[in-house]
Amino acid sequence: IGLNEGGELNLLAFVVVLILTNIVATCLCMAIGVCSRRVADANAVASLCFLTSILFGGFLLNKDEIPSSFRWLAAASFISRGYEALVVNEFASNPKTFTLTESWSNDDDTNSTKLPNEVPVPGEKVLFTFGFHPSLVVNDVVWLCGEAVLFASVSFFVLKRSDFASGGGDGGRKKSIKSSSFLSRLRTCFGIIASSTLSPSTSSAGDLDGTNNDLLARRVIESLSPGGSERAALLDAAMDEWRQDESEEAPGSVSSSSIFVDADNHVQHARTDSLVSGDENLSANARRTSETTASEFEDAHDKEGEEEGEGLSEHLLSINNDDDSAFTPLTSSLVIDDEPKPSPAFSFSRVTCEVKVWTRGKQRRKVILRGITGIAGGGRLGFSQSMRGAAFEDNAKSAFAILGPSGAGKSTLLDILAGRSAEHQKNFTVGGKIRINGAETTSTERREMSGFVTQDDVLPGTSTVWEHLLFHATLRMPIGTSTNALRRRVGQTMRDLGIEKLADSLIGDQFSRGLSGGEKRRVSIATELLMSPGIMFLDEPTTGLDSTNAAKVVDILSKLGSRHGVTVLLSIHQPRPDIFRLLDRILILSSVGSVVYSGPSVSAKGFFESLAYVPPRPRDVHVADFILDVVIKSSKETTSRVCRDFAVSDIFTLNENTIEMLAMEASSDAVVGNDGADDEERGNKTKGSGSACSSAKKCLAPMKVQIQQLLARLRKNATRHPFLIATHFIATLFTAIALGAIFYQCGRDTGGVQNRMGCCFFILLFLTLMSLSSLPVWREDDLLSRREILAGAYGVDGYFVSQIAFDVIVVRAIPPLFFSLATYFCVGLHLNFFSFVNFTFVCVLTNITASALCTCVSIATPSNASANVVGMLLLLVNVVCGGFLLNEEQPRAKAADGSGNRHILVKILTRLSFINHGFQSMMIGEFLDAGTFYFTPKLVESDPSKKSSPSSGGGDVRVPVSGKEVLDFFSFGSTRSEMRVHVVALASLACAYLAIAYFLLKFRVRY
């Protein structure tokens, strides 16, 4: 750059100050981080601290013009200390002489003082003009060291305190036990849990030691305890007392119960006997005992808890009282009766998958799946029992499971069968035929008639279960469905999955407690079951669940076929014995993606025992564990031999024959349909085959409905988690008032001109940095929005419009008005209507443009960390080229040797900087036709402890200049037309960034 070339000491001082400043900033971030409970809080506090330090850094606000009441902030600003040390190091001992160039007209007779075109000025005089003092540089360096030690010490002691609090629990425990009212309330909860035992269906290994009861007790304490450090102590104390009294409780009072937190953070108690089937339910006497216990607990609730319970009752009553006629066409597949509902036959043959990989710079093809064949469902075929054979036994279970070791290709196969992303990626090559009821289908058709539940539960944490399911029902049910029918469908689905008691419970996220893992998994299943799909795919639905909840989920899935006519295909790593018994058919993959077995689960034991080279199954090992042990622990040669033997087995032949019969039946139905036959029997069969699935195709709601529902959910999210919006409003209001006080009634001398420019630039800088909040918002919603868009809940257009509308109107348009209403008049900016309107419009547009740019970055980057880095770099480039830090040189100001020529890249970046356009538009509105200003260079050093005055003596020069001459001096535009050009350019950049964000979202959300 050509900074001070006085000697090595100047270079050393430059490096040392930069390192010290960086250390202080890092220690400050550490202190804020250890004192904050959430990352969002730490980011907000750190941003405000940095902005405050930048404001008093010495280049936005003239140091001699700082009000006395705010000088302590300037003294505490580490940027002010570091910047002053750097500037003094640059100008104080610089052997070069600087030149003050003429940018005003000396021909004006009104100017009482004349200056030559070029005035040589030594470096010390430059420092005095802008309020810097060489005598204070040592104090600045010492202060930087002191601040680094202070912030590091705060971090250390806070960490030390938190470590002591977590390690020494006795004191906290004794203190917590003193809270008798709170402990009595806990004992009420534990009394209910202790008076209940597990039902026979769930009292398996792992429950006998009270593990599930411990989990319930922990949920109660974590829901009721106000602080994290006290929860462990409360749990230990209450559990000790409970275990002492547990043996005294009378056995036999049975109640399946759960504790959950509702939308208003009230603890609710709900029996969960509806989660199990009728034959597994408790006895009538046990149910009456459970109901009595539940009613006693509800009576102990406070008034707010009762009101919440009434709200849940209103939901269910409104469902029961709806008009049946409006619901009849939509619920035929959901009403449970004694007659099993047929499910579609889903078959696939010779499915293969290869992927291109690069190893050491060379491309090769890796085979993931090798000729996979299987069949699931089949109750809608109309074949006789002799034709169906053992492949389609009419029983209560109809789940098809894909088993195998990790890396066998289970998820890849499930994605291909469901028509998801794998077969559409460029590096993947997929082969084979996939049929539904014998008719070959495309990936688009399979997506339209099926539901897919991912391995992780991606749900909106701030919505209740009822709100989430009603949201999906409104958007995905056929157009014209009445509200009563929607509510009936949601209520029936919740009853089917046993989650009706959780209707008003928050789903929960990382900031608030909500449903358990098993409850979230059932909500995810209910989301897809709402549409009554003919086929449901589930990617490892038991992952992350305890054994009891995993068995409960699979039990529900296995009965969807008989009750609702749904063919269920799921992948699972290693099922427990009770889960294996719930599976109708299984497909076992080897580690290289070959078929080890595909057929009825009851026949798997006989097949593997028939293989002489396979070791016999130990008596204490279940068949499911035995089969997977054979696949995982056997050598590659043994596994390959098993695959070859299965390919010539009777089970494999039966699968091939059944698939062929399905194809022939579908072909004959198509021929008969084309011949125009209209007999009732063929019509019923056709309806039960191909058209049965097409009737369950997903529907996309109109754009208006999508936007309304998405905006309603955003509003509820903002209401229940108001931190982000509250931070924007409170921080902006506080900053606007503080700026008005700090820059109160700026003068018209050199310091006043600097303060006016600094105030306007800081406003734009503040709005720009606050727009970084758009990065995590889009990133956090990215996974949920993509899942819901791919599921057909809404389209990219509706999602983008609703998100932008909510962000622009609430977060980006309203907060900048605080600067117009408070800061503008307090600072004493140009009192002109058009200048005021221009100032307001530029503030709003700058905020929108910065947010749109951050939106592009958030959509284009793969993670929050990369989004933060890229977003910050782009915003800093806009700040550097914003017109305040980098002067827009004019041709007449260039040096004779051509060193003033700027690189073409810098010019392009300047033209593309939205801050540059906003700042120049503000400056033109502020100084054009704004009267006379005064240039007051200081030729001697003033007392640093006293505020300088324009009238101070000692050789100070006072040159009157017009506002247009000020604009010319700093190389800004000086006409109204140029101001309008900058505003149009700013609006164009905002529209361009929004368009880029839209196309990036379109490209990202695709199969």
Side-chain angles (χ1 to χ4, degrees):
I1 299 176
L3 297 180
N4 192 345
E5 301 175 357
E8 290 78 4
L9 291 178
N10 294 105
L11 177 61
L12 179 62
F14 178 81
V15 175
V16 169
V17 171
L18 289 182
I19 294 176
L20 278 177
T21 307
N22 197 15
I23 292 176
V24 174
T26 303
C27 294
L28 174 61
C29 290
M30 288 182 179
I32 295 174
V34 298
C35 294
S36 303
R37 308 185 73 179
R38 298 187 302 179
V39 177
D41 299 343
N43 285 339
V45 174
S47 298
L48 292 177
C49 290
F50 285 144
L51 285 171
T52 303
S53 187
I54 291 172
L55 175 60
F56 294 95
F59 54 92
L60 295 178
L61 180 63
N62 189 282
K63 296 178 70 69
D64 289 338
E65 300 288 335
I66 299 177
S68 57
S69 57
F70 291 97
R71 292 201 171 188
W72 65 273
L73 288 174
S77 172
F78 67 93
I79 293 182
S80 174
R81 299 287 181 173
Y83 184 62
E84 184 172 49
L86 289 177
V87 172
V88 170
N89 179 69
E90 170 64 22
F91 290 99
S93 58
N94 199 320
K96 292 183 178 180
T97 300
F98 300 90
T99 303
L100 177 64
T101 57
E102 171 266 330
S103 290
W104 49 81
S105 175
N106 278 323
D107 298 332
D108 190 357
D109 296 335
T110 60
N111 289 347
S112 59
T113 305
K114 305 295 183 181
L115 286 178
N117 292 337
E118 294 184 355
V119 180
V121 180
E124 291 82 356
K125 303 304 184 290
V126 176
L127 294 175
F128 304 155
T129 300
F130 293 99
F132 297 106
H133 309 284
S135 59
L136 300 179
V137 66
V138 177
N139 296 336
D140 294 333
V141 174
V142 173
W143 189 274
L144 286 175
C145 296
E147 284 187 327
V149 173
L150 174 63
F151 295 144
S153 301
V154 171
S155 304
F156 173 77
F157 287 112
V158 172
L159 288 175
K160 193 74 173 178
R161 177 182 176 87
S162 61
D163 179 68
F164 174 79
S166 61
D170 292 338
R173 179 174 175 176
K174 294 178 180 179
K175 182 178 179 179
S176 300
I177 295 177
K178 295 180 180 179
S179 179
S180 58
S181 60
F182 183 75
L183 185 59
S184 63
R185 190 174 182 184
L186 288 178
R187 288 184 58 83
T188 303
C189 298
F190 291 135
I192 296 172
I193 301 175
S195 64
S196 63
T197 58
L198 296 175
S199 62
S201 61
T202 60
S203 59
S204 58
D207 297 335
L208 299 178
D209 58 350
T211 302
N212 289 335
N213 290 335
D214 288 352
L215 293 175
L216 289 176
R218 184 175 295 276
R219 292 187 63 193
V220 174
I221 287 183
E222 291 182 354
S223 300
L224 296 179
S225 179
S229 61
E230 298 180 357
R231 288 181 179 177
L234 287 172
L235 179 61
D236 294 338
M239 291 303 299
D240 289 342
E241 296 181 12
W242 174 41
R243 290 192 181 99
Q244 293 175 2
D245 299 337
E246 187 178 10
S247 59
E248 301 176 2
E249 298 291 337
S253 300
V254 183
S255 174
S256 298
S257 59
S258 64
I259 306 296
F260 62 91
V261 183
D262 60 17
D264 292 329
N265 293 325
H266 302 309
V267 176
Q268 296 287 340
H269 172 271
R271 293 187 302 109
T272 58
D273 53 336
S274 59
L275 297 178
V276 298
S277 58
D279 56 344
E280 295 173 334
N281 278 340
L282 305 176
S283 62
N285 186 27
R287 283 199 297 268
R288 285 195 297 270
T289 305
S290 176
E291 292 171 359
T292 304
T293 307
S295 62
E296 292 176 356
F297 182 83
E298 291 171 358
D299 292 340
H301 279 177
D302 54 14
K303 185 176 181 180
E304 294 180 353
E306 295 176 357
E307 292 176 354
E308 189 63 41
E310 293 175 0
L312 173 59
S313 301
E314 291 177 0
H315 282 310
L316 301 179
L317 288 175
S318 64
I319 296 172
N320 294 330
N321 294 332
D322 283 339
D323 185 13
D324 292 339
S325 61
F327 180 62
T328 301
L330 299 174
T331 59
S332 58
S333 63
L334 286 178
V335 179
I336 301 177
D337 52 26
D338 296 334
E339 181 182 357
K341 305 300 179 186
S343 58
F346 186 90
S347 60
F348 47 96
S349 59
R350 311 295 180 183
V351 175
T352 61
C353 179
E354 296 181 354
V355 60
K356 297 178 183 179
V357 296
W358 283 262
T359 304
R360 297 179 180 178
K362 296 182 179 180
Q363 180 179 351
R364 65 181 182 89
R365 304 190 70 85
K366 178 182 178 181
V367 180
I368 299 179
L369 301 174
R370 306 169 186 267
I372 310 300
T373 300
I375 185 170
R380 295 183 180 180
L381 293 175
F383 291 146
S384 63
Q385 180 65 30
S386 60
M387 295 177 63
R388 294 199 300 268
F392 301 108
E393 296 181 0
D394 289 331
N395 49 31
K397 54 184 182 180
S398 62
F400 179 92
I402 304 174
L403 285 69
S406 299
K410 300 187 295 295
S411 298
T412 302
L413 175 60
L414 202 66
D415 285 340
I416 294 174
L417 298 180
R420 291 172 68 85
S421 58
E423 62 180 293
H424 296 275
Q425 296 180 5
K426 293 182 180 181
N427 295 335
F428 282 80
T429 302
V430 178
K433 296 182 179 180
I434 303 174
R435 298 181 175 92
I436 297 179
N437 290 334
E440 196 168 342
T441 60
T442 63
S443 58
T444 302
E445 292 172 343
R446 295 195 298 275
R447 290 197 304 267
E448 289 179 348
M449 62 184 63
S450 65
F452 193 98
V453 180
T454 55
Q455 182 174 345
D456 49 340
D457 298 308
V458 183
L459 301 168
T462 55
S463 298
T464 65
V465 175
W466 175 267
E467 292 169 351
H468 171 68
L469 295 179
L470 188 61
F471 171 84
H472 276 266
T474 304
L475 293 177
R476 299 171 65 180
M477 295 285 283
I479 301 174
T481 305
S482 65
T483 303
N484 292 340
L486 295 177
R487 297 170 68 88
R488 290 284 300 272
R489 171 60 64 88
V490 173
Q492 183 64 50
T493 304
M494 294 178 68
R495 291 192 185 96
D496 292 341
L497 296 179
I499 56 176
E500 71 275 11
K501 297 294 184 180
L502 306 175
D504 286 339
S505 301
L506 284 176
I507 295 175
D509 52 17
Q510 67 269 30
F511 301 121
S512 60
R513 283 192 58 84
L515 306 181
S516 65
E519 292 166 344
K520 287 184 178 180
R521 191 58 47 87
R522 290 195 292 273
V523 172
S524 298
I525 297 173
T527 304
E528 297 300 327
L529 190 60
L530 278 172
M531 307 306 109
S532 186
I535 305 169
M536 281 193 68
F537 300 93
L538 301 99
D539 188 7
E540 299 193 15
T542 61
T543 300
L545 303 181
D546 59 82
S547 57
T548 302
N549 277 321
K552 189 176 297 183
V553 168
V554 177
D555 180 38
I556 294 173
L557 294 174
S558 65
K559 296 173 182 176
L560 290 179
S562 60
R563 296 188 176 188
H564 305 316
V566 180
T567 298
V568 177
L569 292 91
L570 58 95
S571 63
I572 189 170
H573 185 66
Q574 188 166 5
R576 289 193 333 170
D578 54 347
I579 293 179
F580 188 82
R581 289 192 294 267
L582 298 172
L583 303 177
D584 179 24
R585 297 175 62 83
I586 59 174
L587 168 64
I588 303 176
L589 298 177
S590 68
S591 59
V592 295
S594 300
V595 178
V596 177
Y597 176 83
S598 178
S601 59
V602 295
S603 304
K605 175 183 176 182
F607 170 75
F608 280 90
E609 290 180 347
S610 66
L611 303 177
Y613 51 86
V614 174
R617 178 176 64 90
R619 291 180 176 272
D620 57 344
V621 177
H622 189 264
V623 61
D625 298 328
F626 169 70
I627 293 173
L628 290 176
D629 286 343
V630 171
V631 175
I632 297 174
K633 297 181 179 180
S634 299
S635 62
K636 293 184 179 180
E637 292 76 12
T638 302
T639 305
S640 301
R641 188 176 178 183
V642 174
C643 295
R644 291 194 299 268
D645 288 344
F646 175 75
V648 296
S649 65
D650 294 337
I651 299 176
F652 180 83
T653 303
L654 179 60
N655 290 341
E656 294 287 340
N657 294 337
T658 305
I659 294 174
E660 184 178 353
M661 284 190 297
L662 288 170
M664 294 174 58
E665 181 70 13
S667 300
S668 62
D669 286 344
V671 172
V672 173
N674 293 333
D675 291 341
D678 57 354
D679 60 285
E680 182 178 356
E681 181 180 358
R682 182 200 59 77
N684 292 337
K685 184 177 292 187
T686 303
K687 181 180 179 180
S689 57
S691 61
C693 290
S694 62
S695 64
K697 287 185 177 180
K698 300 174 183 177
C699 303
L700 193 63
M703 175 73 71
K704 179 180 178 181
V705 178
Q706 296 179 37
I707 296 175
Q708 289 176 346
Q709 293 297 317
L710 288 168
L711 286 177
R713 189 166 73 175
L714 289 172
R715 179 183 57 81
K716 292 178 181 177
N717 183 24
T719 302
R720 291 167 182 168
H721 275 183
F723 176 79
L724 179 62
I725 295 181
T727 300
H728 274 275
F729 277 76
I730 296 175
T732 306
L733 179 61
F734 174 80
T735 303
I737 296 175
L739 287 179
I742 295 170
F743 293 96
Y744 184 76
Q745 297 300 317
C746 288
R748 290 180 170 266
D749 56 355
T750 301
V753 172
Q754 180 187 359
N755 289 347
R756 291 172 187 269
M757 293 183 177
C759 178
C760 294
F761 188 79
F762 181 82
I763 291 174
L764 298 180
L765 179 64
F766 175 86
L767 296 175
T768 299
L769 294 183
M770 291 300 289
S771 68
L772 287 173
S773 61
S774 296
L775 291 175
V777 171
W778 284 86
R779 292 300 315 168
E780 291 169 0
D781 292 342
D782 176 66
L783 188 56
L784 175 63
S785 62
R786 282 199 290 169
R787 294 279 175 86
E788 291 182 336
I789 290 173
L790 296 180
Y794 45 82
V796 176
D797 298 346
Y799 173 72
F800 183 80
V801 171
S802 60
Q803 287 283 344
I804 293 299
F806 186 84
D807 185 72
V808 168
I809 295 175
V810 178
V811 183
R812 309 302 166 193
I814 298 178
L817 299 180
F818 295 146
F819 292 111
S820 300
L821 299 177
T823 308
Y824 192 90
F825 298 102
C826 291
V827 174
L829 299 181
H830 190 186
L831 296 179
N832 179 274
F833 176 76
F834 294 103
S835 298
F836 175 78
V837 172
N838 176 75
F839 177 88
T840 304
F841 199 59
V842 167
C843 288
V844 175
L845 268 182
T846 301
N847 204 11
I848 295 175
T849 307
S851 176
L853 177 59
C854 291
T855 299
C856 295
V857 174
S858 178
I859 297 174
T861 49
S863 64
N864 277 330
S866 57
N868 285 331
V869 172
V870 175
M872 180 61 72
L873 287 177
L874 290 178
L875 293 182
L876 287 178
V877 170
N878 281 271
V879 170
V880 171
C881 300
F884 185 83
L885 302 178
L886 184 62
N887 185 264
E888 183 73 21
E889 296 173 339
Q890 297 293 337
R892 57 185 174 82
K894 294 179 181 179
D897 59 356
S899 61
N901 292 325
R902 302 175 60 197
H903 195 276
I904 184 63
L905 179 61
V906 178
K907 292 184 178 181
I908 295 176
L909 293 177
T910 302
R911 299 297 183 268
L912 294 178
S913 172
F914 64 89
I915 295 182
N916 181 276
H917 293 292
F919 185 62
Q920 290 213 40
S921 179
M922 277 189 175
M923 292 300 96
I924 296 174
E926 171 61 23
F927 290 102
L928 188 61
D929 301 330
T932 303
F933 297 86
Y934 298 92
F935 176 68
T936 56
K938 297 179 182 178
L939 303 181
V940 296
E941 181 178 5
S942 60
D943 186 356
S945 63
K946 297 180 180 180
K947 182 178 177 180
S948 64
S949 173
S951 60
S952 61
D956 287 357
V957 179
R958 182 180 177 87
V959 182
V961 294
S962 65
K964 185 176 183 302
E965 291 171 337
V966 174
L967 295 173
D968 292 336
F969 182 83
F970 291 100
S971 306
F972 295 131
S974 56
T975 61
R976 296 288 182 185
S977 59
E978 290 179 287
M979 181 178 69
R980 289 190 291 268
V981 168
H982 287 300
V983 173
V984 172
L986 185 60
S988 301
L989 286 174
C991 295
Y993 290 144
L994 290 176
I996 293 174
Y998 172 77
F999 287 110
L1000 287 175
L1001 188 62
K1002 271 283 193 182
F1003 178 79
R1004 187 180 180 89
V1005 184
R1006 74 189 195 284
Y1007 285 103

